[in-house]
Amino acid sequence: MSPVNPKDKIIFALDVEHFGEAQHWVNLLKDRVGIFKVGKQLFTHAGPKVIDMIRKKGQKVFLDLKYHDIPNTVAKAGEEATKLEVAMFNLHALGGLAMMKKTVEASRVIAKGLGIPKPLILAVTILTSMDEEALREVGVQGPLLEEVGRLAFLSLKAGMDGVVASPQEIGIIRERCGEKFLIVTPGIRHPSDKRDDQKRTMSPKEAIAAGADYLVIGRPIKEAKDPLEAVERIIEDIS
């Protein structure tokens, strides 16, 4: 279910090099964002202790490791993510139906056995750094929107809670998967922001109006002259 409080819709991307940096950003933003995203760089550097640090401060974690492997391997990784009591984690929809189904079931069983909530499990459709030319380079010939819609529906069929997708694909995902299917959208930029390596972007207000449940935002906050002012601007934008 989509969060009601505007700040709870914001997932701050902790794309930093060191544990101390992560701690700084969590302390600064813990009252202004709903979830902290821990990705490959930070998790490779700091491991589970960074998740413990965030949770000890009463905050939620999105473990963004985008698992993609054979079904048994990803299911086992999903079990470990569940044991860490993260609020959500993700995997690549391109890993296939069997991989997704096995991971959903493994996480459910572990959570039930431990008496803890099952994390939301999200599928990554097409990375927001990719456009149709990039898709053709890896052998995907169909229109990008159609590919996203197909992968989103496959994820729904597998029992996933939602998808990570560009804000520009929200419409087709809602059409294929309904209103209850969660959509987490990176690639959030104001018109005045640098696009960096994001190809398919939208402003916070536009993304929420289009039907996004959560917004992943990193550099527009982290690189702002006043990060707290930047967050407040985003909250005001989506309220």
Side-chain angles (χ1 to χ4, degrees):
M1 184 177 291
S2 179
V4 176
N5 192 322
K7 82 174 183 66
D8 292 336
K9 293 176 178 285
I10 302 172
I11 299 174
F12 178 70
L14 279 172
D15 296 331
V16 298
E17 293 184 20
H18 303 295
F19 182 86
E21 283 182 272
Q23 207 162 27
H24 162 76
W25 285 107
V26 173
N27 287 333
L28 183 68
L29 299 175
K30 59 186 173 67
D31 296 323
R32 290 176 170 84
V33 304
I35 301 175
F36 290 91
K37 182 178 80 70
V38 175
K40 290 183 174 69
Q41 180 185 20
L42 182 58
F43 193 79
T44 300
H45 166 72
K49 74 175 184 178
V50 74
I51 294 174
D52 291 339
M53 178 271 291
I54 296 166
R55 294 192 65 254
K56 282 176 181 176
K57 294 179 185 296
Q59 306 304 301
K60 295 178 180 179
V61 178
F62 170 19
L63 185 60
D64 176 30
L65 300 182
K66 300 181 181 71
Y67 300 126
H68 188 175
D69 212 309
I70 62 173
N72 188 64
T73 298
V74 174
K76 291 297 183 184
E79 289 179 358
E80 297 306 318
T82 303
K83 291 176 188 176
L84 290 172
E85 296 189 59
V86 298
M88 55 177 71
F89 70 88
N90 60 3
L91 47 79
H92 271 287
L94 284 167
L97 182 67
M99 186 195 81
M100 290 190 281
K101 287 180 73 171
K102 193 174 182 71
T103 305
V104 169
E105 179 60 15
S107 176
R108 186 191 66 77
V109 169
I110 285 289
K112 184 177 180 181
L114 294 175
I116 59 176
K118 183 188 80 63
L120 298 171
I121 308 179
L122 308 169
V124 176
T125 54
I126 300 297
L127 295 170
T128 53
S129 60
M130 299 186 79
D131 54 18
E132 292 200 353
E133 182 181 352
L135 281 184
R136 285 194 295 272
E137 288 172 350
V138 296
V140 179
Q141 300 301 324
L144 189 149
L145 267 177
E146 184 58 35
E147 184 70 9
V148 169
R150 185 182 65 79
L151 290 171
F153 184 73
L154 187 70
S155 305
L156 175 67
K157 187 177 175 183
M160 303 288 285
D161 296 292
V163 291
V164 180
S166 154
Q168 295 180 13
E169 285 99 53
I170 292 170
I172 193 168
I173 293 168
R174 285 278 171 250
E175 180 185 312
R176 301 280 177 89
C177 302
E179 294 300 316
K180 293 183 179 179
F181 199 58
L182 293 176
I183 300 176
V184 176
T185 61
I188 301 299
R189 297 288 189 276
H190 279 105
S192 59
D193 292 335
K194 291 188 301 180
R195 292 180 71 182
D196 301 302
D197 54 0
Q198 300 288 355
K199 296 287 179 65
R200 309 190 314 280
T201 66
M202 196 175 276
S203 76
K205 183 177 182 179
E206 290 170 334
I208 292 297
D213 295 294
Y214 296 92
L215 309 179
V216 179
I217 307 175
R219 284 172 285 195
I221 296 172
K222 189 155 64 81
E223 296 177 1
K225 289 181 181 178
D226 185 338
L228 293 180
E229 183 182 27
V231 174
E232 292 302 329
R233 179 186 173 202
I234 292 165
I235 291 171
E236 183 179 336
D237 201 22
I238 66 180
S239 293

